[in-house]
Amino acid sequence: EAGLSRVLVGIESGYDPVLEFMHKGVNAREHIEAGRKISESGLGFIAFVMPGLGGKRWTEGHTRETTRVLNEIRPQLVRLRSLAIQETSPLYELWKSGDFEPLTDDGMVEEIRRLIEGLDFSCDIETGQLTNILFELRGRLPEHKAHLLHLIQRYQTMPPEQRLKFRFERYLKNYLPYLEQVGKLDASLISLVEEAARCAAKSPDEAEPVVEQAIMAIKQRGIP
């Protein structure tokens, strides 16, 4: 609605174990109560959600309960910003210590698929941020749900080596120029990327762990 004031809220997750682990300072019930108050006040509501925030341990609960909370709040716009662990963050130390096991890009795409499939109210939804490997998803629910799910399915049904190449090329194209600009493209990262490129050109089976390591290192340096 033209001229309507909007409130931007980082919901991130609707799953209490994830919210507690991440020290969010709020639980799912409080998310719902606050969201309803915002909507009842006549303000627009933009909800930010973070696929991958539950890691491998909580992926099912994170996706299920985040979908439930969104269905209760019914924001006008849902923005999906998938997790990228920054090397300056406390979560980076938890990952290094083994206390947090992140999802792969494919795992986060699957969370996005299940979330879109489960939303049952009218809203706009978009993934327009480079932490989403499929950052072009944008549409209106429920009108565009089938189309968005089709785009996700098209990616998910690619052969594994094609998906790996797709992801790697996207990060090289969209992240490396930014990292160079801000002075974070150092010799160690360049060497890791070059090794991943050599492996990708030889054997898909050998390439996957090396390419995934390079992708993780690229995302850790910063988000464009």
Side-chain angles (χ1 to χ4, degrees):
E1 185 176 336
L4 183 68
S5 296
R6 290 183 164 188
V7 177
L8 284 66
V9 179
I11 289 176
E12 323 304 359
S13 177
Y15 192 43
D16 285 347
V18 172
L19 295 169
E20 182 178 356
F21 184 78
M22 295 297 171
H23 303 288
K24 181 67 177 176
V26 66
N27 59 35
R29 177 183 55 79
E30 290 166 331
H31 269 325
I32 293 169
E33 290 175 353
R36 285 175 172 169
K37 288 178 181 178
I38 291 171
S39 297
E40 289 168 2
S41 73
L43 296 171
F45 192 118
I46 300 176
F48 286 81
V49 171
M50 189 169 287
L53 191 63
K56 291 185 178 179
R57 179 180 179 184
W58 290 306
T59 181
E60 294 295 333
H62 170 56
T63 307
R64 181 189 65 249
E65 293 303 297
T66 301
T67 303
R68 181 184 68 83
V69 167
L70 290 173
N71 283 336
E72 293 274 358
I73 297 173
R74 306 174 73 85
Q76 293 178 328
L77 172 61
V78 177
R79 288 179 170 166
L80 305 178
R81 301 293 186 261
S82 292
L83 178 68
I85 302 175
Q86 303 295 284
E87 59 186 3
T88 56
S89 71
L91 189 57
Y92 178 83
E93 298 303 323
L94 292 172
W95 168 66
K96 294 289 284 185
S97 69
D99 292 326
F100 181 82
E101 188 176 4
L103 287 178
T104 63
D105 285 312
D106 283 356
M108 289 187 280
V109 168
E110 174 60 15
E111 284 196 353
I112 291 171
R113 184 195 68 78
R114 287 189 279 123
L115 187 141
I116 291 175
E117 198 170 58
L119 294 180
D120 63 7
F121 61 96
S122 296
C123 69
D124 293 308
I125 189 166
E126 56 93 354
T127 60
Q129 210 274 344
L130 292 177
T131 60
N132 296 300
I133 194 65
L134 301 179
F135 56 74
E136 311 95 333
L137 300 180
R138 181 186 297 272
R140 178 78 182 168
L141 300 181
E143 295 90 333
H144 301 143
K145 179 179 286 194
H147 174 65
L148 295 173
L149 293 175
H150 169 73
L151 295 177
I152 293 171
Q153 182 186 39
R154 189 172 65 182
Y155 168 78
Q156 291 183 318
T157 54
M158 288 180 183
E161 64 272 14
Q162 189 176 343
R163 289 201 311 274
L164 188 67
K165 180 181 179 183
F166 177 89
R167 296 198 304 276
F168 190 42
E169 289 180 349
R170 286 222 152 181
Y171 286 116
L172 294 184
K173 178 181 178 181
N174 294 300
Y175 273 73
L176 291 195
Y178 164 76
L179 295 180
E180 184 174 20
Q181 181 182 353
V182 299
K184 293 186 177 181
L185 184 59
D186 57 25
S188 64
L189 183 57
I190 292 172
S191 176
L192 187 59
V193 168
E194 289 176 346
E195 176 63 19
R198 284 192 295 270
C199 288
K202 294 179 181 178
S203 167
D205 291 337
E206 295 178 11
E208 184 169 5
V210 183
V211 171
E212 292 292 358
Q213 183 184 7
I215 287 173
M216 179 71 78
I218 289 169
K219 289 198 289 186
Q220 286 166 358
R221 298 300 176 91
I223 302 172

